[in-house]
Amino acid sequence: MTVGSGSADDKAVDAIVVGAGPNGLAAAITLARAGRSVRVYEAAPEVGGGTRTMELTLPGFRHDMCSTILPLTLASPFFRTIDLAARGVEIVHPDAPVAHPLDGGRAAVLERSVRATAEGLGDADGRAWRRLFGPLVRDVGKIGPEILRPVVHVPRHPLAMTRFGLPALRSARGLARGRFRDDPARALFAGIAAHSMLRLDRPLSASFGLVLATYAHAVGWPMTRGGASVVAQALAAELEAAGGEIVTGHQVDSVADLPPARAVLFDVTPRQLVAIAGDRLSPGMRLRAERFRYGPGVFKIDWALDGPVPWAADGPRRAATVHLGGTLDEIAASEAEVAAGRHPERPYVLFVQYAPWDTTRAPEGTTTAWAYCHVPAGSDVDMTARIEAQVERFAPGFRDRILARAVHGPAAMEAHDANYVGGDINGGIQDIRQLIFRPWPSLDPYRVGEGLYLCSSSTPPGGGVHGMSGMLAARSALRHELR
């Protein structure tokens, strides 16, 4: 494999992959394992896309630029084909996957055990949690592979999928209010479902909470020791072992500039696809790509801290991922504000802490933390004070722990990775239309033209570090041009 900068030779290959994020690398690995010659071009000086780790604040403080907690990596059928440990990836599990503090020093905690989680939610809501998640966790081996593929397909396990699908059709707010009686359980589910970046009163928004909470129980919400970049490095090593090439520091502006190849796979969103290969698309496909819709952006802060976060409640001290936003109604109101193009005063905040589970990310006695809130696409509003106020609300004295911060609004996120259009880290809004028919109605959502494929998170199953979009796109290419 050639891992270099700038250019490679122009010899023909079976396949070219544009973009070396997890999906692009997964596509290349799938093709190389099938015996096809493959070359990956990456504009950045290193592979990884959203799975890159950098010193963003102070020397010695390592921060994940985007992806950092990786449940879908453990759940992914693609990643199960890779011995991550042999590639130097150490999976680190916090004591609990998720915590959700509430005012008054209270907190709900999602434990790895469904039973233990239920015991912390009280009698009535505990029983409701067990009834909802017990069967899903039991059937995760059946429903997991069904979830991580296009929504429209004939399920192999229809009964298990029905148990998942019926509640998944509901809105997150409706499901939470219908199943749970008290604030802790309702807020815990709402905070997980809000990863969808959708209004919580929209149909299918419950599906995100169901999937992510099920995986929290089944495989955990882990981090990787030293930063998420080790995952990208492992994928690059896997590709090298399979005989593939990677060229970094090589911007692809037009498909016409690429060497001859039987298939080209793009780990980009439809906007970049049109810019690079628009003249190779049919008029109908180009129109669909131009009409693809993007979702809200994120405003992200990384902190260097002089010690652990001083949480008021015990629960958040046990979880790496902490959802800040208060009650179900508060979170729903915050996400509705973003959907309406406004900036909430009390935003829903996704917060990640690494101490005490990974001490390699900062000098001894210090630590790092990471958070973002949702904002309207392309927003230029500084949300620093609002995010930190939400942290301070549940961890009084947090601001006194800050040594330095690095702030990235939507424009800065897009500058880091062109796939984050307007700050959208999911590769396009995942509302009912673009979740069921992602990226658009098609019998093969990956094939966009003769010899052309889309393999990014804009295709099923959507956002997350799972590699499935790349693997499934590569399989499509193997059925067509690369038979």
Side-chain angles (χ1 to χ4, degrees):
M1 178 176 97
T2 301
V3 179
S5 180
S7 63
D9 62 54
D10 290 335
K11 68 180 180 181
V13 291
D14 291 323
I16 287 172
V17 178
V18 178
N23 281 313
L25 292 171
I29 290 167
T30 303
L31 295 171
R33 286 174 174 172
R36 309 303 188 267
S37 57
V38 58
R39 182 181 303 136
V40 180
Y41 289 104
E42 168 57 47
E46 59 182 331
V47 301
T51 51
R52 282 184 273 174
T53 306
M54 307 174 180
E55 291 187 346
L56 298 175
T57 54
L58 298 172
F61 288 82
R62 292 175 57 77
H63 305 270
D64 289 334
M65 186 62 201
C66 187
S67 302
T68 194
I69 299 296
L70 305 173
L72 295 181
T73 302
L74 293 192
S76 166
F78 167 74
F79 272 99
R80 288 176 183 169
T81 69
I82 298 175
D83 187 343
L84 289 174
R87 295 292 182 200
V89 178
E90 183 179 351
I91 302 294
V92 179
H93 286 276
D95 299 344
V98 184
H100 192 114
L102 294 163
D103 293 323
R106 301 174 296 156
V109 179
L110 190 154
E111 309 279 0
R112 284 293 302 274
S113 162
V114 174
R115 180 179 295 275
T117 304
E119 289 173 352
L121 296 175
D123 291 341
D125 283 348
R127 287 192 297 271
W129 193 274
R130 286 197 301 271
R131 285 195 299 269
L132 181 59
F133 287 105
L136 298 181
V137 174
R138 182 192 65 220
D139 290 341
V140 71
K142 297 177 180 177
I143 65 176
E146 306 277 9
I147 291 168
L148 294 176
R149 58 182 298 185
V151 172
V152 180
H153 69 276
V154 178
R156 296 179 180 177
H157 303 283
L159 292 179
M161 283 304 295
T162 298
R163 281 191 289 269
F164 165 76
L166 289 178
L169 291 171
R170 301 187 65 182
S171 71
R173 185 170 187 171
L175 182 64
R177 294 183 71 86
R179 294 286 186 126
F180 307 119
R181 185 179 67 185
D182 297 324
D183 282 344
R186 288 178 172 181
L188 181 60
F189 184 79
I192 298 169
H195 281 248
S196 65
M197 300 176 72
L198 298 173
R199 287 181 57 135
L200 298 189
D201 60 357
R202 291 295 186 255
L204 283 176
S205 57
S207 66
F208 295 86
L210 292 171
V211 170
L212 292 175
T214 296
Y215 281 140
H217 288 306
V219 301
W221 279 21
M223 62 185 77
T224 51
R225 190 174 304 281
S229 62
V230 297
V231 175
Q233 293 160 8
L235 292 176
E238 191 76 13
L239 180 58
E240 177 179 22
E245 302 175 68
I246 300 175
V247 181
T248 57
H250 187 108
Q251 176 76 37
V252 176
D253 295 316
S254 171
V255 70
D257 297 334
L258 293 172
R262 294 160 60 194
V264 182
L265 292 82
F266 296 91
D267 186 8
V268 303
T269 77
R271 179 174 296 184
Q272 288 83 45
L273 177 68
V274 170
I276 298 170
D279 59 348
R280 293 273 302 274
L281 304 176
S282 70
M285 180 59 70
R286 178 165 183 152
L287 183 61
R288 285 193 287 272
E290 290 172 342
R291 288 179 173 176
F292 183 81
R293 295 171 299 118
Y294 295 87
V298 301
F299 186 98
K300 179 173 178 284
I301 308 176
D302 290 275
W303 293 282
L305 304 174
D306 69 1
V309 180
W311 300 108
D314 290 333
R317 299 189 184 105
R318 301 180 52 247
T321 303
V322 184
H323 295 146
L324 307 175
T327 65
L328 162 65
D329 288 343
E330 288 182 87
I331 296 170
S334 171
E335 295 302 277
E337 285 281 286
V338 175
R342 297 187 290 267
H343 298 77
E345 286 299 320
R346 281 188 160 188
Y348 160 73
V349 174
L350 293 90
F351 186 97
V352 176
Q353 57 190 354
Y354 304 97
W357 306 285
D358 184 1
T359 58
T360 69
R361 296 176 182 244
E364 185 176 358
T366 63
T367 188
T368 60
W370 169 111
Y372 68 74
C373 73
H374 301 149
V375 294
S379 166
D380 60 0
V381 173
D382 188 339
M383 297 293 286
T384 302
R386 299 185 210 189
I387 290 176
E388 292 184 352
Q390 284 288 63
V391 184
E392 189 80 16
R393 174 183 172 187
F394 301 105
F398 170 77
R399 289 192 185 97
D400 296 334
R401 296 284 172 91
I402 298 173
L403 299 173
R405 67 172 64 82
V407 172
H408 291 82
M413 295 298 290
E414 186 172 352
H416 168 77
D417 189 327
N419 282 357
Y420 298 159
V421 176
D424 177 1
I425 59 175
N426 280 329
I429 193 168
Q430 298 184 106
D431 59 7
I432 187 168
R433 192 173 91 200
Q434 281 192 183
L435 180 63
I436 296 176
F437 302 110
R438 188 171 186 86
W440 39 70
S442 174
L443 294 176
D444 186 340
Y446 309 99
R447 195 169 191 243
V448 296
E450 185 175 353
L452 302 176
Y453 296 82
L454 195 62
C455 67
S456 70
S457 60
S458 297
T459 65
V465 183
H466 45 65
M468 292 300 296
S469 300
M471 185 183 80
L472 293 170
R475 287 180 175 176
S476 177
L478 290 167
R479 290 193 303 269
H480 294 97
E481 285 79 13
L482 299 179
R483 290 191 301 271

